Amino acid sequence: MSKPKTLPPPLLKISISPSLECLGPVGKMTYAIATHHGLSESSASELELAIVEALTNIVKHGQGARFDVEITLKIWLSQEGLTLYLSDSGSKIPEQALSAADGSVFYLADENVMNAPEGGMGLSLIKALVDEWSYTSHDGVNTLRLIKLREPRHAP
Amino acid sequence: MEIIDIRHDGNVTIIEPLKARIDASLAVKFKNDVSQIISENDGRIVLNLSNVDFIDSSGLGAIVSLMKSLGGSGNISICNMKDPVMGVFKLTRMDKIFSIYPNEEAALSHFHN
């Protein structure tokens, strides 16, 4: 399910305000589309969380002092599942943060809550919640591509 | 606007979020409100998540922060987690850190026994 050279028109394309108030509506909409398209409730919940984490990253970390950041969500359907493109004109995610998001934040040396993370989990969560992801930044536009399949390729 | 309900069972404080979603738009207020309650009571807390359908890493971080604020002198037991919420705890391995119970009665027994 790699990206075709020319994508057909998306099922849905929406512009999102750079505000945390958008998290609930966009998350619920994503869940509704995913379940309507045949994903299990569990998979739809995972996709909902992934898009909420991604939007939170843009609004909290990628926006800086700018309030004119443009955020666009496009959703494609296929027989295999859903493909989401979340684009924004804010600050791009640093390479270091992308490479560090390997899930190690969840593996503590012990089970002491004092060592548990209070933040920095978002990118690792996104990676763990979807079947494919990629992140590109060109000409001031950052694009996170997420793919969630109806049937996971690997058992969770 | 109240976002949590507070009850007491002996010296245990039961905190029940009234919102269905604890995400980044609510996490700071949730943490501040619960922190205030903790400061006014014993650090024996049951967090009843029966109304919560969705939690993200910001909400999770708020709960971790509250647990840390107890400094080992108290505990937060969590109960009534719905599947998507439990899924986040498991994925982030927070289920290894928190005492999680299927219902409020079981969570209370953690403190009363």
Side-chain angles (χ1 to χ4, degrees):
Chain A
M1 200 166 169
S2 58
K3 177 185 174 185
K5 288 181 180 175
T6 304
L7 286 168
L11 167 77
L12 176 144
K13 176 183 176 182
I14 59 169
S15 179
I16 300 170
S17 298
S19 161
L20 294 177
E21 298 304 315
C22 72
L23 298 178
V26 174
K28 288 183 206 175
M29 180 200 69
T30 303
Y31 177 89
I33 291 173
T35 52
H36 184 73
H37 194 56
L39 270 70
S40 67
E41 290 183 359
S42 172
S43 290
S45 292
E46 291 173 350
L47 188 60
E48 177 184 4
L49 179 54
I51 201 70
V52 166
E53 294 289 346
L55 270 175
T56 301
N57 271 345
I58 295 170
V59 175
K60 288 181 75 173
H61 306 302
Q63 187 174 342
R66 296 173 52 193
F67 294 96
D68 59 344
V69 170
E70 295 179 1
I71 307 173
T72 303
L73 174 65
K74 298 176 187 175
I75 300 179
W76 285 265
L77 306 180
S78 72
Q79 288 190 336
E80 295 169 281
L82 271 70
T83 300
L84 283 67
Y85 277 49
L86 184 66
S87 302
D88 72 272
S89 60
S91 304
K92 70 176 182 180
I93 301 172
E95 285 290 334
Q96 189 178 5
L98 285 170
S99 58
D102 58 0
S104 57
V105 66
F106 306 136
Y107 287 84
L108 307 177
D110 54 40
E111 294 176 2
N112 185 343
V113 71
M114 300 309 286
N115 297 324
E118 295 177 40
M121 296 179 273
L123 286 174
S124 285
L125 267 176
I126 292 168
K127 288 183 181 181
L129 290 165
V130 298
D131 295 285
E132 280 186 44
W133 75 277
S134 65
Y135 184 80
T136 58
S137 185
H138 297 298
D139 300 327
V141 177
N142 315 304
T143 302
L144 178 67
R145 169 178 156 269
L146 306 174
I147 294 178
K148 190 71 176 175
L149 304 175
R150 279 203 186 91
E151 302 293 335
R153 290 192 181 119
H154 306 289
Chain B
M1 180 176 55
E2 295 295 331
I3 63 167
I4 50 177
D5 180 59
I6 307 155
R7 291 176 281 124
H8 295 279
D9 186 300
N11 59 359
V12 180
T13 304
I14 303 162
I15 297 173
E16 191 170 340
L18 300 174
K19 296 288 187 180
R21 303 176 71 88
I22 305 179
D23 60 22
S25 69
L26 191 72
V28 172
K29 178 169 175 53
F30 171 74
K31 187 172 82 169
N32 290 342
D33 286 6
V34 175
S35 183
Q36 177 70 28
I37 294 162
I38 288 175
S39 69
E40 295 168 352
N41 294 276
D42 285 349
R44 298 160 175 258
I45 307 294
V46 168
L47 185 60
N48 185 334
L49 296 181
S50 60
N51 297 316
V52 179
D53 298 326
F54 179 91
I55 191 167
D56 69 357
S57 64
S58 299
L60 202 57
I63 296 174
V64 170
S65 176
L66 290 164
M67 186 72 165
K68 287 182 179 179
S69 73
L70 293 172
S73 62
N75 194 16
I76 298 175
S77 294
I78 304 175
C79 66
N80 286 340
M81 283 202 281
K82 295 180 180 176
D83 287 345
V85 177
M86 178 62 97
V88 178
F89 273 75
K90 286 184 174 176
L91 188 58
T92 56
R93 299 174 64 84
M94 293 297 177
D95 61 321
K96 311 286 185 191
I97 290 173
F98 287 95
S99 302
I100 296 172
Y101 297 91
N103 53 55
E104 196 172 291
E105 184 181 21
L108 285 167
S109 70
H110 168 79
F111 292 111
H112 292 324
N113 290 336

